Amino acid sequence: METPDNAENATEPTGIAAQDWAAASAEPQYRAAVVDLLGALAYGELAAFERLAEDAKLAPTLADKAELAKMASAEFHHFEQLRDRLAAVDAEPTAAMEPFAKALDDFHRLTAPSDWLEGLVKAYVGDSIASDFYREVAVRLDSDTRALVLSVLDDTGHGNFAVEKVRAAIEADPRVGGRLALWARRLMGEALSQAQRVVAERDALSTMLVGGVADGFDLAEVGRMFSRITEAHTKRMAALGLAA
């Protein structure tokens, strides 16, 4: 995933974000939120591995197939890092992932690509929206957890690969652009719905996301977060040569 535009404007961490895991995890609600977060991320990386391996079957050339296989391998390595971290903080990895499996499985079921290009757009758009969401959460994490989360959000190379292939396809046949633009809008809607549902259903995670306010779910702050994610999506659509 690409680095967000405002990365250089980041402010000095305060509160829990200025602590390490040993200090921050003394708060039970915070620990529960981190286990939720790592569980969601781990299942997302496992699902990304499966999807990329499946997409490789649709690749038009052996070179494209090999490129997707390499990306799938990187996603599985990210999954292993998260699984190992969950075990290290005495959380059972499968139990931590389980609450998020249905939402992610539903998203992938509802957005199954019909061809190679749709698969590329889905990986680029869907993964980038998820990455933006987790980066929003990362600013509120302790230093140890934040470093891990940002590490597993590193670009596997899929973004540049997808942009190159999609732009080439549109140049060869401009009619492809309209179909893929509609597809990307559908992906955006489904991805945001899934993210909102996950946040709303996990009390510890939603409380941490909005800064630990007493009543948990600040709709205004969450709304601003999703507005930022939408703006980033518009920029990526332009990079693909598609209308948002």
Side-chain angles (χ1 to χ4, degrees):
M1 317 310 168
E2 52 272 44
T3 302
D5 294 338
N6 62 353
E8 69 275 12
N9 297 324
T11 57
E12 194 70 23
T14 58
I16 284 179
Q19 300 175 16
D20 62 10
W21 170 252
S25 61
E27 168 54 53
Q29 187 177 47
Y30 176 76
R31 187 186 185 283
V34 168
V35 169
D36 268 356
L37 178 67
L38 297 182
L41 259 175
Y43 192 78
E45 294 292 343
L46 184 60
F49 159 74
E50 292 178 317
R51 189 193 64 242
L52 286 169
E54 195 67 25
D55 287 350
K57 298 177 183 178
L58 301 172
T61 69
L62 281 176
D64 291 336
K65 188 184 293 287
E67 191 67 23
L68 285 186
K70 182 175 74 174
M71 295 172 194
S73 176
E75 298 288 11
F76 191 77
H77 177 59
H78 289 163
F79 160 74
E80 290 179 312
Q81 289 178 275
L82 292 159
R83 178 201 61 196
D84 293 348
R85 178 60 177 167
L86 281 163
V89 299
D90 298 323
E92 204 289 308
T94 302
M97 291 189 288
E98 189 64 39
F100 307 98
K102 185 179 187 305
L104 280 164
D105 289 348
D106 285 348
F107 171 73
H108 290 304
R109 177 178 54 80
L110 292 169
T111 58
S114 63
D115 61 19
W116 159 250
L117 289 174
E118 286 191 1
L120 286 179
V121 171
K122 177 181 176 180
Y124 180 56
V125 171
D127 287 358
S128 295
I129 292 170
S131 178
D132 286 343
F133 172 71
Y134 289 120
R135 279 198 176 93
E136 289 277 352
V137 178
V139 301
R140 303 186 184 281
L141 298 173
D142 66 271
S143 58
D144 297 318
T145 306
R146 181 168 63 250
L148 172 63
V149 168
L150 294 178
S151 172
V152 300
L153 294 178
D154 276 350
D155 190 1
T156 61
H158 208 150
N160 291 337
F161 181 77
V163 168
E164 177 188 339
K165 297 297 181 179
V166 170
R167 291 188 76 95
I170 294 172
E171 185 176 342
D173 181 2
R175 293 173 299 178
V176 169
R179 172 172 69 86
L180 293 180
L182 289 173
W183 172 243
R185 289 190 201 104
R186 178 182 167 193
L187 291 170
M188 177 66 172
E190 293 288 354
L192 286 180
S193 294
Q194 177 218 348
Q196 289 169 332
R197 186 164 62 251
V198 167
V199 172
E201 290 177 357
R202 307 300 294 183
D203 289 343
L205 189 57
S206 65
T207 300
M208 181 182 68
L209 182 61
V210 298
V213 294
D215 55 0
F217 199 64
D218 182 339
L219 288 176
E221 173 57 24
V222 172
R224 287 190 291 272
M225 179 190 73
F226 284 114
S227 291
R228 291 190 293 270
I229 292 173
T230 301
E231 289 169 10
H233 167 73
T234 300
K235 292 180 181 179
R236 293 191 187 98
M237 290 286 282
L240 286 170
L242 302 174

